[in-house]
Amino acid sequence: MADNLIKIDRVSKTYERGEMQIPVLSELSLDIARGEFLALMGPSGSGKTTLLNLIGGLDKPTSGAITVGSERIDQLSQSALAKWRSRNVGFVFQFYNLLPVLTAQKNVELPLLLTSLSGSERRKRALAALAIVGLSDRAGHRPNELSGGQEQRVAIARAIVSDPTLLVCDEPTGDLDRATADEILDLLRLLNSEHGKTIVMVTHDPKAADHANHSLHLDKGKLVSEDAAA
Amino acid sequence: MKYLGLIWAALYRKPIRSVLTFASIFVAFLLFGMLQSVSVAFSQGPEFTGVDRLVVAPKYSIIDDIPLSYRNRIASIAGVEKIAHQSWFGGTYKDPGNFFPRWPVPPREFLEVYSEYALPDEQKQAFINTRTGAIVGKSVADQYGMKVGDKVTLIPDIWQNKDNGPWEFDLVGIFQTPDEEFEGQMFMNYDYFDEYRAFGNGGVGTFVVRISEPDRAAEIAQQIDGMFANSNDETKTSTEKAYNQMFAKQMGDIGFIMTSILSAVFFTILLLTGNTMSQAIRERIPELAILKTLGFSNLSVLLIVLAEAMLISLVAALPGLGLAGLALPAIGQVSPFLGGAELSSIVIVQGIALSLLLGLIAGAPPAIKAMRLNIVDALGEH
């Protein structure tokens, strides 16, 4: 029996826009094993980013249960959910979302501000994370002094600096050229295989999905197919 | 404190805007420091004036005179220890811009009543014994390069003399006071003034009475005014402190107009600055959403935004207040009426509190918005 890290049980999500109800996910159930590298694919509006947000604790389902590890995250309060995210999840976005006024090292340190670590310990860990993504020599650079690929590496370093179990990546290569995208995907794969991170990645790009262990296809809020990849 | 770097770094996001915001707040608090200090100066009497001195003034207007003959009648009241008088001279010393109050006084009595006016004994005696004698405060002597033995010539404006010419006095002493503010004056021998003036002889501006029992101040004041009730020259007696405040209040009317205008400027700057600060924070909503994504709580985000707004406000206000503290003495040199204005600790505390309040008010709307923002919506807009 697989060791499931994430258990999604009959989850529905409906957004309200004024008086209009917009169903995005419908009675979706899914188990994701610990150590998995899963790609979520599907057309725009299929609900893949919504599912990713639910898994990462950025949003709550309208109904159903989401269990990550032993925690029912759909039942946590907003403040408890924030604390849970800081300890258990690393986020990687398409547009990197680094703070432009901070250096790479300071950006990576951000999640550690929520811990009781000393300044020197935070710095040490940030530099270690930057070393993992191959950017030790760019620690003092601001985002506008980095290439897109380097910015995404900094974002990945920020995602892993607090050693979370789970990485959620929303189109991490969507803003990069093919070669840089492959480097980023190789890095994610390394984090999965060597560092044991469970990764859930949303992508439109079939070549990106090929780097994952499995791909799931969504359409209109439902799972429609599953592919075994690499 | 660990968030300080994050908060501080935000100020570098748009350096030019930060500098302009900083400059606006700096100017606003420079104005605040000066206005408040002037206001405090107008509203407070000198510290060493106590209720042991009463001022007997004309009841209806300070430009009226009181007969000198009242002196003996006032002195006869039980509890009155010493009595002196002083009159406003006006006049011009070399240039109309060289303003310092000049008062004809009876030297011996005046120095007895104002025992805190210190000058060497021989100068004191010279003032008492020299008919044309005059003394000036050290600050006046320093400012105009006067020294004992000089002739001080004054061009009259109110008090013409019998020769319709300038008044000439012999400078026989230079006095010092515990509060330098009171050194900006000149005193001349009243007998000479009264004898030589072309009109108004036998009148004085006010009597100053030293009483032996301060607890009886109100009773003695009542007795004095009662003594002259229904005469042609009724009096109004008050403590020296109250009289000084009343006198200053007349200047205060000018101060009020100045304060009103500058206050309007101050608050306009504050409103514009507040708006700029709010806008700067609104532009960073996506960044704040990232902080929340990483696990910063709603409260943390609220406090970070508020701290940022309050920090810039405080950091700009402090040098503004500091410059006000440096500028006030210089202004006091130019305008003797503002000679007592200084940046007191209460004004500094008020300024700091106001700057934090500005930051709080400017930062509160975007901070609350940041606290309430939905991460998914905010990231979706990015």
Side-chain angles (χ1 to χ4, degrees):
Chain A
M1 185 177 151
D3 174 17
N4 288 329
L5 176 68
I6 302 167
K7 185 171 178 58
I8 297 168
D9 186 20
R10 299 173 65 192
V11 161
S12 296
K13 179 68 185 177
T14 301
Y15 288 110
E16 291 181 14
R17 292 287 180 264
E19 294 191 355
M20 209 160 62
Q21 304 259 316
I22 306 168
V24 180
L25 295 176
S26 175
E27 295 280 321
L28 187 145
S29 293
L30 173 67
D31 291 342
I32 301 174
R34 193 178 294 274
E36 177 70 277
F37 186 175
L38 176 70
L40 290 174
M41 300 189 69
S44 295
S46 60
K48 54 188 187 303
T49 294
T50 299
L51 179 59
L52 193 75
N53 289 339
L54 293 175
I55 292 170
L58 295 179
D59 207 354
K60 286 186 170 191
T62 309
S63 65
I66 302 175
T67 308
V68 179
S70 56
E71 196 83 62
R72 273 286 299 275
I73 64 169
D74 58 288
Q75 293 180 333
L76 295 177
S77 66
Q78 285 298 337
S79 61
L81 199 54
K83 197 174 280 184
W84 176 83
R85 281 197 304 273
S86 72
R87 291 176 180 168
N88 297 284
V89 193
F91 294 88
V92 182
F93 300 97
Q94 179 178 359
F95 297 110
Y96 333 124
N97 287 335
L98 301 175
L99 268 57
V101 290
L102 299 181
T103 62
Q105 179 211 317
K106 291 290 180 189
N107 264 288
V108 175
E109 273 188 45
L110 276 177
L112 301 180
L113 290 178
L114 299 166
T115 68
S116 56
L117 293 174
S118 66
S120 60
E121 185 62 25
R122 290 199 302 269
R123 184 169 180 273
K124 198 170 130 190
R125 294 197 185 192
L127 292 173
L130 284 169
I132 290 174
V133 300
L135 280 183
S136 295
D137 58 338
R138 292 287 187 271
H141 289 65
R142 291 209 166 84
N144 63 358
E145 298 165 335
L146 301 172
S147 68
Q150 288 171 331
E151 281 195 76
Q152 194 60 298
R153 283 172 184 270
V154 174
I156 291 170
R158 183 179 67 187
I160 62 174
V161 73
S162 52
D163 195 23
T165 319
L166 174 64
L167 293 185
V168 297
C169 310
D170 192 359
E171 300 276 10
T173 58
D175 197 41
L176 302 173
D177 59 60
R178 185 74 263 155
T180 311
D182 285 341
E183 287 175 17
I184 294 297
L185 290 163
D186 287 343
L187 178 58
L188 290 176
R189 187 157 187 80
L190 179 81
L191 292 172
N192 173 246
S193 59
E194 300 294 320
H195 298 267
K197 304 296 176 198
T198 302
I199 300 177
V200 182
M201 175 178 71
V202 161
T203 182
H204 276 100
D205 179 6
K207 287 187 176 169
D210 286 347
H211 287 74
N213 300 36
H214 291 93
S215 299
L216 290 177
H217 291 259
L218 277 82
D219 193 18
K220 295 178 183 167
K222 290 182 182 296
L223 284 175
V224 292
S225 67
E226 181 176 358
D227 300 328
Chain B
M1 284 302 286
K2 61 184 175 183
Y3 296 149
L4 191 61
L6 179 63
I7 294 164
W8 190 253
L11 303 183
Y12 291 91
R13 194 170 189 272
K14 293 201 172 173
I16 292 175
R17 181 163 65 190
S18 291
V19 167
L20 292 175
T21 306
F22 181 96
S24 302
I25 298 173
F26 171 84
V27 171
F29 279 90
L30 172 62
L31 283 176
F32 172 83
M34 295 176 71
L35 287 175
Q36 275 301 97
S37 299
V38 168
S39 172
V40 167
F42 274 132
S43 65
Q44 285 181 345
E47 278 178 19
F48 66 84
T49 59
V51 291
D52 63 339
R53 278 200 294 243
L54 300 177
V55 175
V56 184
K59 184 173 183 180
Y60 298 107
S61 169
I62 58 170
I63 61 167
D64 289 343
D65 268 357
I66 312 172
L68 179 61
S69 59
Y70 282 9
R71 177 171 56 185
N72 292 340
R73 295 175 65 188
I74 294 169
S76 69
I77 292 172
V80 171
E81 206 174 57
K82 306 274 183 194
I83 180 166
H85 56 80
Q86 59 187 87
S87 307
W88 180 261
F89 182 86
T92 300
Y93 174 68
K94 291 184 179 174
D95 184 278
N98 297 339
F99 178 79
F100 50 91
R102 296 140 198 150
W103 312 90
V105 298
R108 183 190 303 277
E109 292 84 350
F110 180 79
L111 291 174
E112 284 172 352
V113 171
Y114 286 96
S115 52
E116 70 270 21
Y117 284 53
L119 71 168
D121 271 346
E122 67 273 16
Q123 293 183 9
K124 198 180 280 186
Q125 289 307 317
F127 185 36
I128 292 167
N129 296 322
T130 307
R131 195 169 175 71
T132 53
I135 57 174
V136 295
K138 186 172 180 301
S139 67
V140 171
D142 290 347
Q143 189 174 354
Y144 299 105
M146 296 175 180
K147 57 186 188 304
V148 172
D150 283 357
K151 294 274 185 197
V152 178
T153 303
L154 300 176
I155 309 298
D157 41 28
I158 309 167
W159 299 113
Q160 300 296 330
N161 58 37
K162 286 175 178 166
D163 294 325
N164 208 21
W167 288 78
E168 202 166 76
F169 297 94
D170 293 303
L171 188 61
V172 296
I174 293 171
F175 65 87
Q176 287 181 275
T177 54
D179 188 336
E180 203 180 306
E181 178 189 348
F182 292 91
E183 291 177 6
Q185 305 182 79
M186 174 178 176
F187 299 101
M188 304 87 92
N189 193 322
Y190 174 82
D191 287 345
Y192 171 58
F193 161 74
D194 192 44
E195 189 181 296
Y196 194 31
R197 62 178 157 175
F199 62 95
N201 306 69
V204 299
T206 56
F207 285 102
V208 187
V209 176
R210 183 186 285 281
I211 56 175
S212 53
E213 295 169 74
D215 291 347
R216 290 184 56 223
E219 179 196 332
I220 293 171
Q222 216 168 19
Q223 267 185 280
I224 294 171
D225 292 342
M227 188 178 270
F228 306 113
N230 301 317
S231 70
N232 284 339
D233 300 290
E234 291 189 85
T235 60
K236 181 174 170 53
T237 304
S238 54
T239 64
E240 187 182 33
K241 190 168 184 173
Y243 179 77
N244 285 346
Q245 283 177 346
M246 185 270 290
F247 192 81
K249 213 171 170 58
Q250 300 190 18
M251 290 306 300
D253 291 340
I254 297 168
F256 175 75
I257 294 166
M258 184 177 76
T259 303
S260 302
I261 294 168
L262 293 181
S263 295
V265 174
F266 175 67
F267 280 104
T268 306
I269 290 174
L270 288 194
L271 288 175
L272 290 172
T273 306
N275 184 45
T276 306
M277 288 166 69
S278 291
Q279 187 187 346
I281 292 166
R282 276 198 301 273
E283 286 172 6
R284 291 188 16 247
I285 290 293
E287 288 177 26
L288 298 170
I290 290 298
L291 291 183
K292 291 181 83 169
T293 301
L294 296 178
F296 285 72
S297 66
N298 290 340
L299 183 63
S300 298
V301 171
L302 174 89
L303 294 178
I304 285 171
V305 174
L306 281 180
E308 185 186 321
M310 290 163 83
L311 181 70
I312 190 170
S313 184
L314 183 65
V315 165
L318 287 178
L321 290 170
L323 185 59
L326 293 174
L328 280 165
I331 292 171
Q333 292 283 320
V334 179
S335 171
F337 280 112
L338 302 181
E342 60 180 11
L343 193 73
S344 65
S345 53
I346 186 77
V347 175
I348 294 171
V349 170
Q350 284 173 345
I352 290 172
L354 190 62
S355 71
L356 293 175
L357 185 65
L358 166 68
L360 193 68
I361 292 170
I368 291 169
K369 189 175 179 185
M371 181 185 75
R372 289 179 178 164
L373 72 84
N374 181 293
I375 301 174
V376 173
D377 291 343
L379 291 177
E381 288 167 10
H382 186 50

